[in-house]
Amino acid sequence: MTTTPRLLFFMTLALMGALLPFAGLMAEQTQEAEREPGLVLVSTIKGAIGPATSRQIEAAIAKAEERRAEALVLRIDTPGGLVTSTRDIVSAILASDVPVAGYVWPSGGHAASAGTFIIYATGIAAMAPGTNIGAATPVTMGGGGMPGTPQQPPARPGQTEGERTSPSNEEAMSKKATNDAAALIKSLAETHGRNAEWAEEAVREGASLSAREALEKGVVEIVASDIDSLLTQMDGREVVTASGRKILATAGAEVEHVEPGFMVELLALISNPNVAFLLMMIGVYGIIFELSNPGSFGPGILGAICLLLGLYALNQLPLDYAGIALIVLGLTLMAVEAFTPSFGVAGFGGLVAFVFGAAMLVDSENPDFQISWWTIMATAIASAAVLILLLGYMLRAMRRPVATGAEEFAGAEARVLEWAHGEGYVHIHGERWHARGPAELAPHSTVRVEKLDGLTLIVR
């Protein structure tokens, strides 16, 4: 190698060595730029999990994906809710391209039952100090003992031990529901690397944990006192989303709270079984009033709107079809009583069917999604009052003298206008009528009508 090429070679090496630190610095700056914190959306879930909650979370996820948010945080404080809504929420979270974090908040709050499933479905599980999670056992329809440990009823005469220990249909359905819930929460735990054994205990045995215990047992990843602390601890963690694994850059991110939209708030209001039930009743009575008084329009229009809103809200809830059938039968019988009086037989029979149907209408043991007995009794008393008024009006109408036709003249008083030879004209009910009667009657005298003969009154 000659001197000149050798010199060029060493100069090139020296230049590369000088530029190497700058290249490393540029790579670090590029990496920092890629991990620059962005936007984090926060949606607060409070109260029972139902159709409105499902709609709220789906809308929040859609907005987070549209805004290309770094993460969506669900602040949760719930006693539980409907299975159908919970599964819809879990499916929406698992299908999200944006990382979703579940945060049990505030202190004193809890994520019980359905809330436990939602926390397990999120990519990051967190709790505030003073909160708890668990108690996710599906409630049996009959409200009996825990599935898997059924209480044995006393043996009937002639019943074998095998017959005595065989599960009833209710126990079998409860066991199926529990096994299904346990399989779901174990699958969610395995997806995000959480404690699957405790998750199964929460479903089968109703186990519950405090925030610190949940962190120690691997049920949650973070215990944070507020959103800022949560975002700091989330930063740099890897989470699983529908589009693959992502590393979070949430430290110092801009936080924006997502408020429920008008339709979500409306659904939350009318999906309350008591409100939905009252809307349906107002609708039915409004339509009945419109049919009995054609042309009033107002009650019919208001009734139709309330009935449609009530039916839409009830359609979002788990309904018992026997309860629906009894309510329809009850309302039909009460309508029959209103239009074709049957001395209260149809009306009060319909009232009994209505009360039983209302008690059975919503197929859920969750008290937040049951029709209150106060609501049932209030509507039953109002319906009974309407029936009593109709019955009283009918009885009074039966006792009232006939006011039309020939019978209305019998016994009525009339004043003689003209009279001669046993006949003449009298004034009665503001009209002039031809009459026959005694010959000695004189004008301006008062007579009483005996009957109507054709178009002639017979007087005395």
Side-chain angles (χ1 to χ4, degrees):
M1 183 180 296
T2 61
T3 304
T4 301
R6 184 179 296 173
L7 180 61
L8 291 174
F9 176 73
F10 284 113
M11 289 178 64
T12 303
L13 289 177
L15 182 61
M16 291 176 63
L19 293 176
L20 190 60
F22 292 100
L25 180 61
M26 292 178 63
E28 289 179 3
Q29 290 177 347
T30 303
Q31 186 177 6
E32 288 296 325
E34 291 177 351
R35 296 187 67 252
E36 183 179 352
L39 174 68
V40 172
L41 300 184
V42 178
S43 182
T44 302
I45 311 300
K46 194 173 183 65
I49 302 297
T53 314
S54 175
R55 185 76 62 88
Q56 178 183 347
I57 292 178
E58 289 171 0
I61 290 175
K63 186 172 184 178
E65 291 177 341
E66 179 186 353
R67 300 281 298 277
R68 299 181 181 275
E70 186 67 25
L72 169 66
V73 177
L74 301 178
R75 295 195 302 191
I76 299 173
D77 179 16
T78 177
L82 300 178
V83 174
T84 52
S85 298
T86 303
R87 283 192 172 273
D88 290 341
I89 292 169
V90 168
S91 298
I93 292 173
L94 295 178
S96 172
D97 291 329
V98 173
V100 180
Y103 180 36
V104 187
W105 177 91
S107 296
H110 59 160
S113 191
T116 305
F117 286 86
I118 296 173
I119 291 294
Y120 260 80
T122 57
I124 294 290
M127 299 175 68
T131 57
N132 64 282
I133 185 173
T137 305
V139 179
T140 59
M141 292 305 298
M146 296 292 293
T149 57
Q151 298 177 353
Q152 295 295 335
R156 298 189 303 271
Q159 185 182 25
T160 65
E161 184 64 23
E163 292 173 342
R164 181 169 177 258
T165 57
S166 61
S168 64
N169 289 336
E170 183 178 322
E171 291 167 349
M173 291 299 294
S174 175
K175 188 174 182 180
K176 286 175 63 177
T178 302
N179 290 339
D180 182 61
L184 173 62
I185 203 165
K186 284 174 64 178
S187 176
L188 296 175
E190 292 166 359
T191 300
H192 298 293
R194 299 197 183 109
N195 190 331
E197 182 179 347
W198 179 85
E200 188 172 5
E201 288 181 7
V203 171
R204 296 190 182 278
E205 302 175 14
S208 185
L209 293 174
S210 66
R212 184 57 56 186
E213 291 172 334
L215 182 63
E216 292 172 354
K217 288 182 176 291
V219 173
V220 299
E221 292 83 38
I222 296 172
V223 173
S225 57
D226 53 33
I227 286 291
D228 292 336
S229 174
L230 172 63
L231 298 184
T232 301
Q233 296 186 59
M234 283 171 53
D235 188 65
R237 291 178 181 265
E238 186 180 56
V239 295
V240 178
T241 67
S243 57
R245 295 183 175 272
K246 292 186 179 180
I247 297 178
L248 298 174
T250 54
E254 178 187 355
V255 177
E256 181 179 321
H257 291 267
V258 180
E259 299 298 332
F262 171 76
M263 290 305 299
V264 172
E265 292 183 342
L266 176 63
L267 183 58
L269 173 64
I270 66 175
S271 61
N272 181 313
N274 296 290
V275 175
F277 184 70
L278 289 175
L279 284 172
M280 187 179 71
M281 293 305 304
I282 293 172
V284 169
Y285 280 117
I287 291 174
I288 289 175
F289 186 85
E290 178 69 33
L291 293 175
S292 60
N293 297 272
S296 53
F297 294 111
I301 294 173
L302 177 64
I305 294 173
C306 290
L307 182 60
L308 290 175
L309 284 175
L311 291 175
Y312 170 75
L314 289 174
N315 186 55
Q316 307 296 311
L317 302 172
L319 300 180
D320 187 306
Y321 292 105
I324 296 175
L326 283 170
I327 286 180
V328 171
L329 175 63
L331 293 174
T332 303
L333 290 175
M334 285 190 281
V336 167
E337 182 67 39
F339 291 103
T340 56
S342 60
F343 299 96
V345 176
F348 286 101
L351 185 60
V352 172
F354 171 80
V355 171
F356 279 105
M360 298 167 55
L361 182 61
V362 181
D363 187 10
S364 173
E365 289 296 312
N366 191 317
D368 292 298
F369 292 97
Q370 289 181 329
I371 299 177
S372 165
W373 276 106
W374 289 106
T375 302
I376 295 174
M377 296 313 298
T379 52
I381 290 171
S383 299
V386 171
L387 288 173
I388 291 171
L389 288 175
L390 287 174
L391 190 60
Y393 179 80
M394 180 187 67
L395 293 175
R396 287 194 300 272
M398 292 178 64
R399 297 192 188 100
R400 192 179 302 130
V402 178
T404 60
E407 289 81 0
E408 72 170 310
F409 291 98
E413 290 186 349
R415 183 169 57 87
V416 177
L417 298 176
E418 302 174 14
W419 200 261
H421 310 295
E423 63 177 318
Y425 292 92
V426 297
H427 185 269
I428 183 172
H429 296 168
E431 299 172 337
R432 178 185 173 95
W433 281 80
H434 182 262
R436 294 199 309 269
E440 64 273 13
L441 293 179
H444 305 295
S445 61
T446 301
V447 294
R448 189 171 297 277
V449 179
E450 290 187 344
K451 63 179 180 178
L452 176 65
D453 182 14
L455 294 178
T456 301
L457 296 177
I458 307 301
V459 301
R460 59 180 172 83

